[in-house]
Amino acid sequence: MKGRERRLAVLEALYEREQPSEHDWVLDRDVPGSFQQSVESVVREGLAELADRETRAELSAREGRPIRWAARLTPFGSDARVYGRARPVSEPDPEEPASGEQLVKLRPTQINALRVFISITNELVTSPADSLAERVRTAVFSTVDNRWCLYLTGEQVESVAYGLYLHTLAGSAAEANRFARDYGVVYRPEPGTRQPTPVATRAAIRPNHG
């Protein structure tokens, strides 16, 4: 088990043991010594806390027996547990794109702009393409390329271009221009209409180089 997965497993187990507790602390009798050691590893990261002497004395009085160890999640640890449950258990890394899909590699600034686009879906007239939000959420980061990798359909590629077009109007044009060079589509204002239009570029007729 990877360190990240081990950490999340400890937080989840500690949370589950906290729930039936009347005082929000997990006590020494409730967990084996090996688990106590695991909890202490996340305590060092600020994700959990151990009861101090005064708190243990109060717990001992309530329990009617000596309490030598007690732990609970910190607010930071609680948020980390929730976030860990929300993200994919394992990052997808398919070997081949599905039919009609292509591999798209986005720079960090590009995917950051795209995340903003996804986050305002409910406020947009032209919403992101179906399933684009999920593809962005499960994108895999390549440390070798310094790129976020995801497989997209043609419709989703155009939707990415639209999101980067909006970014151009509110920020930098570099992200949209780079995407146009790499994947052959860019949005341009269309005089006489009420919306921009996707325009194919030379990259559309040659293999993309990511």
Side-chain angles (χ1 to χ4, degrees), residues 14 18 23-26 39 47-51 70-74:
L14 190 58
E18 277 185 28
H23 33 61
D24 298 326
W25 288 92
V26 178
V39 169
L47 301 172
E49 62 180 330
L50 299 178
R72 66 182 179 184
L73 291 175
T74 62

Side-chain angles (χ1 to χ4, degrees), residues 4-166:
R4 178 182 62 195
E5 296 173 347
R6 186 181 303 111
R7 179 189 300 112
L8 292 175
V10 171
L11 296 180
E12 192 66 39
L14 190 58
Y15 171 79
E16 291 176 355
R17 287 168 171 80
E18 277 185 28
Q19 298 315 295
S21 172
E22 296 179 356
H23 33 61
D24 298 326
W25 288 92
V26 178
L27 307 182
D28 44 14
R29 71 177 181 184
D30 299 326
V31 293
S34 59
F35 182 74
Q36 294 178 27
Q37 293 177 359
S38 298
V39 169
E40 288 169 8
S41 70
V42 297
V43 167
R44 291 192 291 271
E45 298 181 276
L47 301 172
E49 62 180 330
L50 299 178
D52 57 21
R53 179 178 298 178
E54 181 179 350
T55 301
R56 292 199 305 272
E58 294 176 0
L59 292 171
S60 297
R62 294 176 63 178
E63 290 290 310
R65 66 176 183 86
I67 301 297
R68 296 182 173 83
W69 183 95
R72 66 182 179 184
L73 291 175
T74 62
F76 176 40
S78 180
D79 287 347
R81 183 195 70 85
V82 173
Y83 187 87
R85 287 174 63 91
R87 69 187 304 278
V89 176
S90 60
E91 295 174 326
D93 187 17
E95 295 181 359
E96 297 291 339
S99 177
E101 293 181 342
Q102 69 177 103
L103 174 63
V104 171
K105 297 182 180 181
L106 299 177
R107 291 174 175 240
T109 54
Q110 290 175 314
I111 202 160
N112 286 343
L114 201 55
R115 286 169 177 153
V116 174
F117 179 49
I118 296 300
S119 72
I120 57 175
T121 294
N122 293 336
E123 302 176 59
L124 295 171
V125 175
T126 302
S127 300
D130 289 346
S131 301
L132 180 60
E134 179 65 16
R135 299 302 175 91
V136 171
R137 189 175 74 85
T138 58
V140 178
F141 185 72
S142 169
T143 55
V144 175
D145 298 327
N146 191 32
R147 299 288 190 276
W148 288 89
C149 304
L150 53 166
Y151 288 120
L152 301 178
T153 64
E155 181 184 5
Q156 290 167 343
V157 168
E158 285 198 357
S159 189
V160 170
Y162 183 68
L164 296 180
Y165 165 75
L166 296 180

